[in-house]
C-alpha cells in the first residue's frame, strides 16, 4: 500500500493524514468543505512545526510530509488510484453507510475500505458494500500523532489477509495495533464511555463537583486527565453518540446516557470545540492547555 485516501479533514482525519504522510505514504485528504480542508492542512502544519521545535523531526522532513498530502473536495477524484481509504467523517451511522455505498461504487475492486468509527458496527457498514471481506475498522486515538494505539476491528466477513495487512500497516506508522472483534464500543469505548457516563452521573447526583471528581481520578487512579475534562476533550456530542450506539446495541440500561449529558448536548455545550462543557474554554489559551497535556 502506497496511496492512501482519508475522508474528513477534522480532528481525526487530519491527524490520520498527518501520520500516513509523515511515514512516507502519498495521502489524498478529502472533505466536502474547502474551509475544512484548509483548516485541516493548517493544523497538520502547526503540529509539524511543534515537532520541529521539539527536534523530533527536521524542517526537511516537515516539507516532505506536507508535500505528500494533496487535498480534494470531490470524492471520486480523491479516491482515484488509492490502495486504502480511511473514512473519518462524523460519527453518524447513516452518513457512514452513504459514504461506503459510494466508495464501493467508485473505488477499484481491490481497494481496502477502512473506517475510523469508535463504536458503529463494522459488519453493518460492510453490509452496504459488495466487498465485506475488504472492510475493516481502524480506530485511531486522539490526538493521532501522539497516541500509540490503533484498534483494528474485524467485521463478521473481514478476511484474515486484510486484517493482517492492516495490522502490519499500523506498525509502519509507529502505532501499536490491537485486534478486536465487532461489538458495540469495541474495547476502548466499551470500557471508557461507561466510566465517563458514571462520572457525569456522580456530578448530576451532587456527590462532588467537577474539579473534585477529576482530582480523585487523577490523583487516586493515576489518570493523566480527569474523566470530565476528557469528555470535554473528546466532545460531549461524540460521547453521547457512542453511548447511544452501545445502548441500542446491548439494550442494557447501564449504557443509557446521563440526563445531564443529554441536556448539555442539547444546549450546545460540547466541550473544547464549542468553548464550554464541564469547563470554560472561552479563552483560546484555556483550550490549548487541555490538548497540551498530551503533547509534553
Amino acid at each position: 500500500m502506497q496511496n492512501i485516501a482519508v475522508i474528513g479533514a477534522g480532528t481525526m482525519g487530519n491527524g490520520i493524514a498527518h501520520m500516513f504522510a509523515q511515514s512516507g505514504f502519498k495521502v489524498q485528504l478529502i472533505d466536502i468543505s474547502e474551509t475544512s480542508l484548509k483548516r485541516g492542512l493548517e493544523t497538520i502544519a502547526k503540529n509539524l512545526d511543534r515537532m520541529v521545535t521539539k527536534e523530533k523531526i527536521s524542517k526537511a522532513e516537515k516539507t516532505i510530509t506536507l508535500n505528500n498530502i494533496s487535498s480534494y473536495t470531490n470524492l471520486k477524484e480523491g479516491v482515484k488510484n488509492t490502495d486504502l481509504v480511511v473514512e473519518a467523517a462524523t460519527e453518524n451511522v447513516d452518513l457512514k453507510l452513504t459514504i461506503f455505498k459510494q466508495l464501493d461504487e467508485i473505488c477499484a475492486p481491490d481497494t481496502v475500505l477502512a473506517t475510523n468509527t469508535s463504536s458503529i458496527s463494522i459488519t453493518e457498514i460492510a453490509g452496504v458494500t459488495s466487498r465485506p471481506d475488504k472492510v475493516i475498522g481502524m480506530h485511531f486515538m486522539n490526538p493521532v500523532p501522539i497516541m500509540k494505539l490503533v484498534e483494528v476491528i474485524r467485521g463478521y466477513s473481514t478476511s484474515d489477509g486484510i486484517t493482517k495487512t492492516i495490522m502490519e500497516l499500523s506498525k509502519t506508522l509507529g502505532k501499536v495495533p490491537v485486534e478486536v472483534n465487532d461489538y458495540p464500543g469495541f474495547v476502548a469505548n466499551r470500557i471508557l464511555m461507561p466510566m465517563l457516563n458514571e462520572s457525569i452521573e456522580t456530578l448530576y447526583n451532587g456527590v462532588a463537583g467537577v474539579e473534585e471528581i477529576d482530582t480523585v481520578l487523577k490523583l487516586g487512579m493515576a489518570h493523566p486527565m480527569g474523566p470530565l475534562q476528557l469528555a470535554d476533550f473528546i466532545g460531549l456530542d461524540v460521547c453521547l453518540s457512542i453511548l447511544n450506539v452501545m445502548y441500542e446495541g446491548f439494550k442494557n440500561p447501564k449504557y443509557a446516557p446521563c440526563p445531564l449529558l443529554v441536556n448539555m448536548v442539547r444546549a450546545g455545550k460540547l466541550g473544547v470545540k464549542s468553548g464550554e462543557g464541564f469547563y470554560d474554554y472561552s479563552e483560546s489559551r484555556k483550550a490549548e492547555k487541555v490538548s497540551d497535556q498530551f503533547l509534553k
Side-chain angles (χ1 to χ4, degrees):
M1 290 186 173
Q2 290 299 320
N3 300 314
I4 313 295
V6 179
I7 299 175
T11 300
M12 296 305 295
N14 71 59
I16 294 167
H18 173 162
M19 286 308 304
F20 274 107
Q22 189 178 325
S23 300
F25 295 88
K26 295 297 183 182
V27 179
Q28 293 155 218
L29 182 59
I30 307 162
D31 200 292
I32 58 172
S33 166
E34 192 74 58
T35 301
S36 294
L37 278 172
K38 182 180 178 182
R39 189 184 305 120
L41 291 170
E42 288 173 350
T43 298
I44 294 170
K46 287 178 182 177
N47 287 336
L48 289 168
D49 283 335
R50 187 176 297 178
M51 296 177 76
V52 171
T53 300
K54 293 176 179 290
E55 298 183 345
K56 292 185 176 180
I57 63 171
S58 66
K59 289 183 179 180
E61 288 173 315
K62 172 197 169 183
T63 300
I64 292 170
T65 298
L66 291 175
N67 287 340
N68 280 338
I69 305 172
S70 52
S71 60
Y72 300 83
T73 54
N74 183 286
L75 182 64
K76 188 172 184 179
E77 291 180 7
V79 300
K80 190 180 295 182
N81 300 321
T82 53
D83 304 304
L84 169 70
V85 179
V86 182
E87 170 273 320
T90 304
E91 191 75 347
N92 178 287
V93 63
D94 292 332
L95 175 61
K96 291 185 185 295
L97 295 180
T98 298
I99 290 172
F100 273 77
K101 283 179 184 178
Q102 293 174 329
L103 290 174
D104 189 49
E105 292 170 358
I106 62 181
C107 289
D110 58 349
T111 301
V112 177
L113 306 181
T115 173
N116 182 57
T117 181
S118 57
S119 61
I120 297 170
S121 169
I122 308 302
T123 303
E124 182 177 5
I125 291 172
V128 301
T129 76
S130 61
R131 64 184 89 191
D133 59 316
K134 296 182 179 68
V135 177
I136 196 165
M138 289 185 78
H139 179 207
F140 291 85
M141 303 294 125
N142 184 29
V144 179
I146 305 299
M147 302 295 277
K148 289 290 188 181
L149 176 67
V150 179
E151 272 190 305
V152 177
I153 307 105
R154 296 183 64 135
Y156 186 81
S157 300
T158 306
S159 73
D160 291 341
I162 293 300
T163 302
K164 182 178 179 180
T165 296
I166 296 303
M167 293 285 285
E168 292 302 317
L169 180 66
S170 299
K171 292 176 185 177
T172 68
L173 301 176
K175 302 302 184 185
V176 178
V178 176
E179 181 182 336
V180 304
N181 291 317
D182 186 23
Y183 292 94
F186 316 134
V187 172
N189 281 323
R190 183 167 179 173
I191 295 170
L192 174 63
M193 286 300 155
M195 184 192 76
L196 299 187
N197 197 44
E198 190 63 31
S199 300
I200 299 169
E201 284 278 3
T202 302
L203 176 66
Y204 182 57
N205 292 330
V207 178
V210 171
E211 292 187 4
E212 288 76 11
I213 292 168
D214 279 353
T215 299
V216 168
L217 270 292
K218 285 190 287 186
L219 300 185
M221 289 76 183
H223 289 203
M225 181 180 285
L228 299 177
Q229 191 178 32
L230 178 57
D232 275 353
F233 185 74
I234 294 169
L236 301 190
D237 54 335
V238 175
C239 294
L240 178 60
S241 176
I242 295 169
L243 284 165
N244 281 330
V245 167
M246 293 199 297
Y247 181 58
E248 289 299 317
F250 291 116
K251 305 297 182 185
N252 188 323
K254 76 176 182 179
Y255 298 112
C258 175
L260 176 58
L261 175 62
V262 174
N263 277 341
M264 289 181 71
V265 173
R266 285 174 178 167
K269 311 298 184 184
L270 308 181
V272 174
K273 68 173 112 179
S274 69
E276 185 179 352
F278 293 107
Y279 292 87
D280 182 4
Y281 308 94
S282 55
E283 298 175 29
S284 60
R285 59 185 172 83
K286 290 183 179 178
E288 290 173 358
K289 187 176 181 182
V290 175
S291 60
D292 279 351
Q293 293 189 34
F294 287 96
L295 302 174
K296 291 180 180 177

